[in-house]
Amino acid sequence: MELLDKLNWRYAAKAMNGKSVPEDKIERILEAARLAPTSSGLQPFEILVIKNQDIKEQISPVAWNQSVITDCSHLLVFAAWDTYTEDRINYMFDLTNEIRGFKNEGWENYRQMLLGSYPQKDSEENYHHAAKQAYIAFSQAISAAAFEGVDATPLEGFDPDAVDAILGLREKGLRSAVLLPLGYRKEEEDWLVNLVKVRKPMSDLVTVIQ
């Protein structure tokens, strides 16, 4: 129940007060994102943690001048791989073998299947697949932030190409997928803070097939 209580408490804060979030809370939020499940365990994204105020100010105009960009404590940028490559796939399989301390024939066969599939696909298709994986981690971060009592505002309202240019993402083989400002709500300036959370009733959302 504690997690559900926290999820009921959270909302997409429309104004933040600039107060810093303790680093231990940020670390736990990032760890939750790191532990998120992803397709084939490839984790095809990186997370940029922006504390630099000048960079936030640069991003603000290409994110509809939303105040939470500049008034948040930490701005997380979830940046997906621009495509899947043999090197990227091999890195994660090699890392798995190193950490587990052994090789598994089935796992190695699976590696070869992926190597024979993803790198040959269109890069735009690969990016969209990778971005979906980034969103899984993004969702975990939102839940973890709520658990930590930290406000998080999911943002898709920004110019990805401009953010990529500001952060030099394309040169790193990355593309910005979604933004997550973290901070604390500024209740006196937030029109959403006292409104009742509205979600579909369970009967309209869930169908149980026996």
Side-chain angles (χ1 to χ4, degrees), residues 44 46 79-83 88 168-175:
E46 295 182 19
W81 290 355
D82 58 357
T83 193
R88 282 171 160 171
L169 295 181
R170 296 299 179 99
E171 294 85 349
K172 300 174 183 176
L174 299 169
R175 294 171 59 179

Side-chain angles (χ1 to χ4, degrees), residues 30 33 41 47 50 66 72 83 90 92 105 111 127 146 169 173 179 182-183 187 208 210:
L30 293 171
I47 305 171
I50 300 173
Q66 296 173 84
C72 69
T83 193
N90 281 326
M92 287 305 299
E105 181 180 359
R111 179 207 297 252
Y127 163 70
L169 295 181
L179 309 181
L182 299 175
E187 296 189 4
V208 178
Q210 301 285 9

Side-chain angles (χ1 to χ4, degrees), residues 3 6-7 10 25-38 43 45 47 76 78 131-152 154 178-180 182:
L3 177 59
K6 295 289 189 178
L7 292 178
R10 74 149 303 278
K25 289 181 177 287
I26 297 296
E27 289 172 5
R28 288 191 290 271
I29 292 167
L30 293 171
E31 179 66 0
R34 189 182 74 90
L35 292 173
T38 57
Q43 294 182 282
F45 56 87
I47 305 171
L76 305 190
F78 288 76
K132 288 179 181 179
Q133 311 314 306
Y135 267 84
I136 298 172
F138 170 73
S139 179
Q140 293 272 83
I142 293 170
S143 295
F147 197 80
E148 296 289 340
V150 174
D151 285 298
V178 65
L179 309 181
L180 187 64
L182 299 175

